[in-house]
Amino acid sequence: MFGAIPLLIVPFVLYNLGLLGLFGGGDDPWASEMLSFHMMSGGVFSMRLGDLVVLIGLVFLFVEMVKSARTTNASIMDHLLSTLVFIAFLVEFLLVKGAAHSVFFTLMIIALFDVLAGFSVSMRSASRDINVN
């Protein structure tokens, strides 16, 4: 049951919590620096909150790709729910002022890749399961 829940809902929820001011106030909570350290090369590596949310989205995209390779009855529900998550991203991007941000757009494209790749992998694996005589 819980295997069918799309994990990309987590970055969606995290972004909306940031819009509500949970991760700090200001105009752009995604620009706040999470960590920074000096490299041996002399450069400075810094990670902002927006970068961290996108990184979380990419990790969950990988897990979703692994989940899409299985051929169970739950995979159909998983693809349907992933499509609904992408639609939620798209609607919020078009209608909510705070979602007009590059971090949200990147998360929306990650959700689109999840939908497209999930259906592609499923169709590819389903064609291997069909025997034509």
Side-chain angles (χ1 to χ4, degrees):
M1 175 70 184
F2 292 113
I5 296 174
L7 296 176
L8 288 175
I9 193 104
V10 173
F12 182 76
V13 169
L14 286 175
Y15 191 90
N16 284 309
L17 289 175
L19 284 182
L20 293 174
L22 190 68
F23 301 128
D27 288 338
D28 190 8
W30 312 112
S32 62
E33 192 171 289
M34 297 300 295
L35 64 99
S36 175
F37 54 88
H38 294 280
M39 305 295 285
M40 290 176 25
S41 65
V44 177
F45 174 79
S46 63
M47 181 173 280
R48 293 183 172 89
L49 181 60
D51 300 330
L52 183 63
V53 172
V54 169
L55 183 63
I56 290 170
L58 287 172
V59 168
F60 285 142
L61 176 64
F62 172 75
V63 175
E64 287 292 322
M65 294 298 106
V66 171
K67 281 174 42 179
S68 70
R70 60 184 184 180
T71 54
T72 63
N73 291 337
S75 64
I76 295 170
M77 182 60 73
D78 185 35
H79 297 316
L80 177 67
L81 293 175
S82 293
T83 304
L84 291 176
V85 168
F86 170 69
I87 291 170
F89 268 108
L90 183 62
V91 168
E92 185 167 343
F93 181 70
L94 294 173
L95 299 179
V96 177
K97 182 179 179 182
H101 196 278
S102 62
V103 172
F104 192 82
F105 181 77
T106 304
L107 292 173
M108 182 180 67
I109 296 301
I110 289 171
L112 174 65
F113 286 165
D114 176 34
V115 171
L116 295 176
F119 282 117
S120 300
V121 168
S122 292
M123 287 190 305
R124 183 78 142 161
S125 62
S127 67
R128 291 183 187 152
D129 292 340
I130 297 174
N131 292 326
V132 178
N133 293 328

